């Protein structure tokens, strides 16, 4: 398996957005935790379909595991059809395109719902998101951090439907990371991956996306204005809206 260059998934392009997910694993669980973290990267869309994961050397260093263990993890993901290995000058490990969300339909949604506690997941997500929004507003952002948040918001505007959920996830993950707590960001990445698994089974509704975008704009404005109460309230309404939409489609 070739290391290749860092490409679209390397530290230069993706370092910031991968930081909340890729972190040193605990001794004794290297294989399992590394597998979980790389799956989160894929499920969150942090490396899009067709994109290249960071080079083996970088992944091993971030996760603090041996290259042998990492290759075992990547072999499992390749066997499951989640990634593919390409050799040569432009080789590396690439995320394979997943089937369209609609392909799963109600049966797939029912299967995924049975595997998680949906209400617990939605409430935990709300606690983390509302807390992150309040922290960012209360503590303030540097100019560079504010620019990152604005850029994440701008990326969601006029985004093609096929890319919207990934870019929406990036906006929320950016806010969680800017809250200044790596533990919060890591927990949010995990719960968001679970939420995305459920959302991927329901259709993207244009009217809902328009409302979501309006809330995104109000949220970012409140954070940048230092309005902690306002940021928390907008985020709470936003999370409640997503939860209500998801519950409406639950079997």
């Amino acid at each position: 398996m070739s290391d290749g260059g860092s490409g679209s998934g390397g530290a230069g392009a993706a370092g910031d957005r991968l930081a909340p997910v890729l972190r040193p694993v605990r001794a004794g669980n290297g294989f399992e935790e590394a597998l979980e973290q790389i799956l989160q990267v894929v499920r969150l869309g942090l490396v899009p379909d067709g994109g290249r994961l960071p080079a083996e050397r970088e992944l091993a260093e971030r996760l603090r595991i041996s290259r042998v263990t990492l290759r075992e993890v990547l072999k499992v993901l390749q066997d499951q059809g989640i990634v593919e290995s390409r050799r040569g000058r432009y080789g590396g490990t690439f995320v394979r395109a997943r089937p369209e969300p609609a392909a799963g339909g109600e049966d797939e949604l029912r299967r995924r719902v049975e595997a998680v506690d949906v209400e617990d997941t939605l409430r935990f997500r709300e606690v983390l998101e509302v807390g992150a929004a309040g922290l960012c507003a209360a503590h303030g952002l540097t100019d560079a951090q504010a620019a990152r948040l604005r850029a994440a918001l701008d990326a969601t505007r006029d985004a093609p439907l096929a890319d919207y959920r990934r870019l929406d996830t990036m906006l929320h993950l950016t806010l969680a990371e800017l809250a200044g707590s790596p533990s919060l960001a890591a927990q949010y990445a995990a719960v968001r991956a679970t939420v995305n698994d459920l959302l991927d089974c329901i259709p993207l509704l244009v009217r809902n996306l328009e409302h979501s975008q309006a809330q995104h704009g109000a949220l970012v404005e409140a954070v940048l204005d230092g309005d902690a109460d306002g940021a928390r309230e907008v985020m709470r309404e936003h999370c409640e809206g997503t939860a209500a939409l998801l519950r409406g489609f639950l079997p």
Side-chain angles (χ1 to χ4, degrees):
M1 185 175 293
S2 171
D3 270 358
S6 60
S8 63
D16 286 340
R17 67 175 180 263
L18 297 184
V21 179
L22 297 181
R23 56 199 183 279
V25 302
R26 291 171 293 183
N29 295 315
F31 174 84
E32 293 82 359
E33 291 191 19
L35 180 64
E36 177 187 14
Q37 291 184 34
I38 296 175
L39 276 171
Q40 282 185 16
V41 167
V42 175
R43 292 161 68 196
L44 289 167
L46 301 185
V47 176
D49 291 349
R52 181 166 50 181
L53 292 173
E56 284 185 12
R57 178 179 60 256
E58 180 185 343
L59 276 175
E61 289 175 353
R62 283 177 176 244
L63 297 169
R64 305 278 176 85
I65 58 175
S66 69
R67 296 275 283 273
V68 171
T69 298
L70 177 63
R71 286 170 179 161
E72 291 175 350
V73 170
L74 295 178
K75 178 64 166 57
V76 169
L77 295 175
Q78 186 172 339
D79 290 345
Q80 294 298 313
I82 295 169
V83 303
E84 62 180 343
S85 174
R86 302 177 193 169
R87 298 185 180 277
R89 182 178 179 183
Y90 300 105
T93 303
F94 294 79
V95 176
R96 296 188 63 180
R98 291 174 293 176
E100 290 297 319
E106 291 184 5
D107 289 342
E108 178 62 15
L109 178 58
R110 185 176 294 106
R111 184 188 69 79
R112 296 185 187 187
V113 166
E114 291 173 351
V116 299
D117 185 330
V118 176
E119 289 303 319
D120 177 69
T121 298
L122 294 175
R123 289 174 185 175
F124 188 41
R125 179 215 175 180
E126 181 178 334
V127 169
L128 294 174
E129 293 246 43
V130 171
L135 284 171
C136 286
H139 293 177
L141 302 180
T142 66
D143 289 345
Q145 290 173 329
R148 274 189 63 195
L149 187 58
R150 289 192 188 96
L153 174 63
D154 289 344
T156 63
R157 293 193 174 110
D158 301 320
L161 283 180
D163 292 336
Y164 184 82
R165 187 156 291 147
R166 178 176 64 85
L167 296 173
D168 171 69
T169 297
M170 285 302 309
L171 171 61
H172 286 263
L173 194 58
T174 296
L175 192 67
E177 186 180 358
L178 292 177
S181 168
S183 296
L184 186 155
Q187 290 294 322
Y188 177 68
V191 77
R192 179 66 190 229
T194 300
V195 171
N196 279 6
D197 269 355
L198 301 176
L199 290 175
D200 281 346
C201 293
I202 68 176
L204 286 166
L205 307 176
V206 174
R207 179 65 186 88
N208 171 253
L209 297 187
E210 291 173 348
H211 182 241
S212 179
Q213 275 303 102
Q215 290 179 325
H216 284 160
L219 171 65
V220 170
E221 182 178 351
V223 168
L224 297 181
D225 285 346
D227 180 2
D229 288 340
R232 284 190 289 263
E233 185 58 30
V234 173
M235 182 61 89
R236 183 175 291 106
E237 291 179 0
H238 185 65
C239 290
E240 289 174 350
T242 301
L245 180 70
L246 184 56
R247 291 185 186 108
F249 281 94
L250 290 179

